[in-house]
Amino acid sequence: MREILGRRRRLLSRNDGKPELISAALAFATQWQWPVLPGVAPDPHGRARCACPDPECTVPGAHPFDPGLLAASADARMVRWWWTNRPSAPIILATGGKAPCAVSLPALAASRALALLDRRGMRLGPVIASPTRWSLLVRPYSMEQLGELLYAKDFVPGSLRFHGEGGYIALPPSETGQGGVRWERPPLPGSASPWVPDVEAVVDAVVDALTRTGVSAPEL
């Protein structure tokens, strides 16, 4: 009897995560062909810490660990297996290749920049928000393309981060050590693949908006 109860507890513990996580992961992989993989969970004894071996981890619960980033897949069977076994795992997108890249900036700066861009009527794609940073999805770009873009600018805020080939971001509705991840600007419902702008347009607009709103300091 004890053995039966033990098995039942283990089964329940395997399925105590958010049911929408596996649905979202499958949707990203099968509908949009985005390569995803489960991220390392936050440390249950301190959510601001990470369950990975790095005691100084700067993105707790919001990065790949086991499996590594190269394992990212759009295969439905693989995705379903991952989240069946790790139902609470954050959803990590491997950026670049056929998947979108991203430009991220601190949450307060992003909020002000998006408000200004809205007033200008600029079209943006999906925007992902976490408590500390927001990520604007853009079309895939090469490191050479990004280098030329940044070199041509007189000033680029140090608060900007670029998630291109070999990078990653957490997708909604993940829970990380810094809090929940959500859509600030969700993709249009029913879209086969979300429209995203070119990186040049986003960087030009965001740098200008940050400079005008006075939130371009690198320490943000």
Side-chain angles (χ1 to χ4, degrees), residues 98-153:
K98 295 182 179 179
C101 293
V103 177
S104 73
L105 58 159
L108 176 60
S111 176
R112 293 177 181 175
L114 262 62
L116 179 58
L117 298 182
D118 283 344
R119 291 195 294 272
R120 294 179 178 176
M122 180 178 175
R123 183 185 181 190
L124 293 172
V127 178
I128 298 167
S130 74
T132 57
R133 296 187 72 84
W134 291 10
S135 299
L136 287 68
L137 298 188
V138 298
R139 290 178 186 166
Y141 57 78
S142 67
M143 293 305 296
E144 291 77 13
Q145 181 183 3
L146 179 63
E148 291 176 4
L149 171 63
L150 299 181
Y151 182 76
K153 293 201 164 298

Side-chain angles (χ1 to χ4, degrees), residues 26-57:
L26 283 167
F28 295 137
T30 60
Q31 294 179 24
W32 299 343
Q33 293 299 296
W34 288 3
V36 297
L37 75 163
V40 63
D43 188 334
H45 302 295
R47 290 189 58 81
R49 300 196 305 269
C50 191
C52 76
D54 183 3
E56 304 297 328
C57 181

Side-chain angles (χ1 to χ4, degrees), residues 19 24 44 59 68 110 117 120 141 144 159 161 163 167 176 189 211 218:
V59 283
L117 298 182
R120 294 179 178 176
Y141 57 78
E144 291 77 13
S159 56
R161 294 178 189 166
H163 309 262
T176 73
T211 304

Side-chain angles (χ1 to χ4, degrees), residues 6-208:
R7 285 181 183 174
R8 185 178 179 187
R9 287 193 193 99
R10 286 194 296 272
L11 287 171
L12 287 172
S13 67
R14 285 178 59 187
N15 293 281
D16 60 357
K18 288 186 173 183
E20 63 266 29
L21 278 169
I22 188 170
S23 298
L26 283 167
F28 295 137
T30 60
Q31 294 179 24
W32 299 343
Q33 293 299 296
W34 288 3
V36 297
L37 75 163
V40 63
D43 188 334
H45 302 295
R47 290 189 58 81
R49 300 196 305 269
C50 191
C52 76
D54 183 3
E56 304 297 328
C57 181
T58 58
V59 283
H63 67 90
F65 175 63
D66 183 17
L69 185 63
L70 292 179
S73 175
D75 180 79
R77 292 172 298 177
M78 190 75 253
V79 171
R80 189 182 299 278
W81 185 85
W82 276 331
W83 270 273
T84 298
N85 288 278
R86 297 169 59 183
S88 298
I91 304 170
I92 302 299
L93 169 69
T95 53
K98 295 182 179 179
C101 293
V103 177
S104 73
L105 58 159
L108 176 60
S111 176
R112 293 177 181 175
L114 262 62
L116 179 58
L117 298 182
D118 283 344
R119 291 195 294 272
R120 294 179 178 176
M122 180 178 175
R123 183 185 181 190
L124 293 172
V127 178
I128 298 167
S130 74
T132 57
R133 296 187 72 84
W134 291 10
S135 299
L136 287 68
L137 298 188
V138 298
R139 290 178 186 166
Y141 57 78
S142 67
M143 293 305 296
E144 291 77 13
Q145 181 183 3
L146 179 63
E148 291 176 4
L149 171 63
L150 299 181
Y151 182 76
K153 293 201 164 298
D154 294 329
F155 171 71
V156 177
S159 56
L160 287 184
R161 294 178 189 166
F162 300 92
H163 309 262
E165 187 77 33
Y168 60 86
I169 54 173
L171 294 173
S174 301
E175 286 287 337
T176 73
Q178 296 171 329
V181 180
R182 60 179 176 81
W183 293 111
E184 174 64 23
R185 302 287 173 86
L188 294 175
S191 59
S193 182
W195 178 87
V196 291
D198 289 329
V199 66
E200 292 92 340
V202 168
V203 171
D204 287 345
V206 167
V207 169
D208 182 60

